[in-house]
Amino acid sequence: METRANHIWVGAVTLLLLALLAAAIVWIARLGQGQHNEYDIFFKQSVSGLANGSQVAFAGVPVGQVSEITLSKDDPEFVRVRVRVRDEVPILVGTSATMQGSFTGVSTILLDGARSGQPPISCETTACPEGVPVIPPAPGQGLGAVLANAPLLLERLATLTERMTQVLSDTNLEQMEGILRNTNQMTANLADASPQVERTMAELQVTLREASEALNQFETVLGSTDKLINGEGASLAEELRDTLAAANKAATSLSATLEDTRPAARELTDTTLPAAEATLRDLRATSKALRAITEKLDNQGAGALIQGESLPDYKP
């Protein structure tokens, strides 16, 4: 029983010594690193390439590292990056943060813009929404975003290169050469046709000038017509009204006359015209008989009207 108790005490002392040794190592490590201040940076962009432990540099000099990356509690559009910077680094009002990427895909935080005479960034000089001062991001993160997306850009560049290779194949190059030859031939033909084009342009200018003169004359005629209409149009309109009234009266009289002649026309159609047709038939018959008598007188003489036709002598 006593031996077991001794073993427990030995284990407890050993664990205590190990804990003290670990605490001493951490304390020595912190003593070598010095004191650090924490700051938050809110980026409204992708922070691809950043990770816990990423380097923080001030004007190119390493001064700390990234300790935490998370979304903002107040606005999820922003990414909160917490950095730990050595306390001797002058993080003054006016300092801004930039996320600097590289073609390897690893990004760092670059601090710059501090001006001498400005107070340090603290909760008294800036906002502390999550317990530590905020370093504002620098305006214009275009280059950093480009570098952060370098792997995707390289992939797209490779795709573009492949497509350009397909476009500039031997077959397409031959077709382009043919197009260039045709273009040169067209240019030469256009150069040869330049004198004719100049003559055509000269004729077109003459035609335009004549058209302008004709338009001026037409405007003059329009002016005269307008003057005639405005000056004498009233009297002409009055005479036209009188003429139309007289024509209307004449049309009315003619209509009445036609109404009066309709019975006579009906009688003429029903009685007079049939009688006239019968008389004409009789006249035609009489004329035919007279023509036959006249022909007989011409051929046989007047005796033919008195005597009948003599019979030929009969010979038995």
Side-chain angles (χ1 to χ4, degrees):
M1 194 71 179
E2 185 179 356
T3 304
R4 186 176 180 182
N6 291 334
H7 289 168
I8 294 175
W9 280 105
V10 171
V13 172
T14 303
L15 291 176
L16 180 60
L17 291 176
L18 290 175
L20 291 175
L21 179 60
I25 292 173
V26 172
W27 180 77
I28 292 172
R30 292 191 175 214
L31 185 62
Q33 292 180 354
Q35 297 294 326
H36 290 79
N37 296 324
E38 290 187 338
Y39 301 91
D40 281 341
I41 306 170
F42 291 90
F43 291 106
K44 194 176 182 180
Q45 65 180 64
S46 173
V47 293
S48 177
L50 278 182
N52 292 336
S54 294
Q55 187 181 46
V56 178
F58 189 93
V61 179
V63 295
Q65 61 183 6
V66 176
S67 61
E68 185 182 359
I69 300 176
T70 184
L71 294 176
S72 173
K73 295 179 180 179
D74 298 331
D75 192 349
E77 293 184 1
F78 291 90
V79 179
R80 181 177 64 85
V81 178
R82 180 161 293 184
V83 297
R84 297 176 71 250
V85 181
R86 294 199 301 268
D87 59 352
E88 69 268 15
V89 178
I91 307 298
L92 307 178
V93 174
T95 302
S96 59
T98 305
M99 189 180 68
Q100 188 176 48
S102 64
F103 285 101
T104 60
V106 178
S107 300
T108 59
I109 300 296
L110 180 62
L111 303 178
D112 199 359
R115 296 293 180 268
S116 178
Q118 296 294 330
I121 291 179
S122 62
C123 289
E124 288 76 17
T125 58
T126 186
C128 295
E130 300 200 17
V132 297
V134 175
I135 299 176
Q141 300 288 332
L143 180 60
V146 170
L147 294 177
N149 295 325
L152 179 60
L153 292 176
L154 290 175
E155 181 181 355
R156 292 182 178 177
L157 182 61
T159 304
L160 178 61
T161 303
E162 182 180 357
R163 292 183 179 177
M164 287 295 295
T165 303
Q166 295 176 358
V167 171
L168 298 177
S169 62
D170 295 337
T171 303
N172 292 341
L173 287 176
E174 291 178 358
Q175 294 179 356
M176 290 180 184
E177 290 178 357
I179 293 173
L180 291 176
R181 285 195 300 269
N182 295 335
T183 303
N184 292 334
Q185 183 65 33
M186 185 184 302
T187 305
N189 295 336
L190 183 60
D192 295 337
S194 295
Q196 184 177 358
V197 173
E198 292 178 357
R199 289 195 299 270
T200 303
M201 292 299 295
E203 293 176 358
L204 181 60
Q205 290 179 355
V206 173
T207 303
L208 290 176
R209 185 167 58 254
E210 293 177 353
S212 178
E213 294 176 356
L215 182 60
N216 293 333
Q217 294 178 359
F218 181 69
E219 290 178 352
T220 303
V221 172
L222 285 179
S224 302
T225 304
D226 182 69
K227 182 178 179 181
L228 177 62
I229 291 175
N230 293 331
E232 301 178 2
S235 59
L236 291 175
E238 188 66 26
E239 292 179 0
L240 181 60
R241 291 192 189 95
D242 296 340
T243 303
L244 290 176
N248 189 17
K249 292 179 180 179
T252 304
S253 300
L254 180 60
S255 177
T257 302
L258 289 175
E259 290 292 335
D260 295 339
T261 57
R262 281 181 182 176
R266 187 178 300 108
E267 182 180 357
L268 177 64
T269 302
D270 296 339
T271 304
T272 305
L273 288 178
E277 290 179 354
T279 302
L280 288 175
R281 284 196 300 272
D282 294 340
L283 288 175
R284 289 193 189 97
T286 303
S287 176
K288 185 176 181 181
L290 290 174
R291 188 180 298 110
I293 293 171
T294 303
E295 291 178 352
K296 193 172 184 180
L297 288 174
D298 290 339
N299 293 329
Q300 300 179 7
L305 298 175
I306 301 173
Q307 298 178 357
E309 294 182 357
S310 60
L311 297 174
D313 296 334
Y314 176 75
K315 293 179 181 184

